[in-house]
Each structure stands twice: as structure tokens, then as C-alpha cells.
Amino acid sequence: APPPIAPTVTLSASPISFNNGIGGNSTLTWISTGATSCSDITSQPIKTPISTGGAKNGSALASVTETTIYSMTCTDSVSGLSSIPGVTTVQVTSPTLSITDFRASPSHVAKNGTSYLSWSSSGFNSCTVQDAKNNSVTVPSPSTSSSGTQTPVTVTQAMTYTLDCVTSDNIHQTATASVTLVPSVIEI
């Protein structure tokens, strides 16, 4: 008789990555051939194993908070042979955060003139602007990414504005832009 053939198992994950720095839920799915039962799903770093109930095929939800390698094997009770482990990795990465080109245009304005604040950003949930006196400047809604463009401010004195952008997990980045006053013409 031909020698018994070891069972096989394929383990996959959906989604396989989270680019939010905090993770989320991923569905692990396994499909085996030639097996009578499958082990629970183990992980690196080690967490509580995910129960498969011994099912030869199925899916289970994994709560992923960091990049994790999941693994399982399936066994044929008749031959006593086990499969090569089925392995899948779920990645958790942090988004690239950036603020670029926060500026006031024009940057030299006559008293009571208007300057426009603009910026471009990525990876943030929202952005706010305050002047040097900690007064909030109204920005277009939703004030995310590059939508803070062309926000008008009335300039009554030289002023530095601070842009504060924040992520969903409360990581802040700031940038500043300044406006100076052009001297008024003195009437004689």
C-alpha cells in the first residue's frame, strides 16, 4: 500500500494589514485537506489561542493590536500524521504623519487687511488653528488633511498662527506661520 499522505492546511487573514497604529478585527480562515481535525490557532507574540473547535475548515475573528503571526496544524487521526503549519501574518503599522507648507499668504499685510492660511497634511483626523493669543481661528469643515486651505484671517497686528493636527489616537503635530504688518502711509 502507498504510504499515507500528510494532511495540509492553508491559513489566511482578511484584512492582512491595518495602517492605523492600533489594529482591529481580522477574520482568520483555514482550509485543510486529508485532516480529521485542526488545532487551535496560536500566535506570536503569544496571546490566548483562538479556538477552532477542531473543525477541518472554518473561520474565526482575531482582535489584532500589533503585528502578529498566526499558526495552526491539522492532523489525520487515522495515519497519525500532522500537517506542516499553516501560517499567516497580520501587520499593524502607523500612518505616516506630516504637515507641509503651513503658510500665511500674503505674509505682509496692511492693518485690517486679510491674509489666507493654508496647509497640507496627511495621516491626521483633524486640524485646528490658533493665533498667538490662543484664539481659535475658524477653519473649513471638515478640517482634515489639506482642507484647511484659504482660511481668511483679518490682520490687526503682527501675528504667529499655530496649526495643531491630531490623530485618532491623540498624537499631535504642530506648525507655525507668521504675518507681519506693512507700515501704513502717514498722511500729512
Side-chain angles (χ1 to χ4, degrees):
I5 297 170
T8 62
V9 62
T10 303
L11 181 63
S12 61
S14 179
I16 60 165
S17 64
F18 295 93
N19 186 32
N20 59 8
I22 56 173
N25 288 329
S26 182
T27 301
L28 305 178
T29 302
W30 65 96
I31 299 169
S32 72
T33 57
T36 53
S37 67
C38 292
S39 69
D40 287 346
I41 300 168
T42 59
S43 60
Q44 286 291 338
I46 295 171
K47 297 188 180 82
T48 303
I50 298 167
S51 175
T52 64
K56 297 181 283 184
N57 304 295
S59 62
L61 204 59
S63 177
V64 187
T65 57
E66 61 188 318
T67 297
T68 305
I69 302 168
Y70 293 95
S71 177
M72 70 184 305
T73 57
C74 296
T75 305
D76 175 9
S77 62
V78 177
S79 68
L81 296 175
S82 291
S83 68
I84 293 170
V87 177
T88 191
T89 300
V90 180
Q91 298 258 353
V92 177
T93 55
S94 292
T96 301
L97 305 177
S98 68
I99 298 172
T100 53
D101 213 20
F102 178 45
R103 64 168 126 181
S105 181
S107 59
H108 302 284
V109 184
K111 188 166 184 175
N112 296 317
T114 301
S115 182
Y116 292 89
L117 302 177
S118 63
W119 70 87
S120 179
S121 69
S122 66
F124 297 99
N125 245 27
S126 63
C127 297
T128 56
V129 178
Q130 288 188 318
D131 65 19
K133 297 176 175 180
N134 290 326
N135 294 314
S136 291
V137 174
T138 302
V139 295
S141 183
S143 58
T144 56
S145 296
S146 60
S147 65
T149 56
Q150 304 306 311
T151 300
V153 288
T154 301
V155 181
T156 57
Q157 65 187 78
M159 185 65 69
T160 297
Y161 296 92
T162 300
L163 173 69
D164 181 7
C165 294
V166 62
T167 66
S168 57
D169 44 350
N170 212 31
I171 296 169
H172 288 259
Q173 258 189 34
T174 60
T176 58
S178 296
V179 181
T180 56
L181 284 183
V182 175
S184 305
V185 174
I186 299 170
E187 293 186 9
I188 300 170

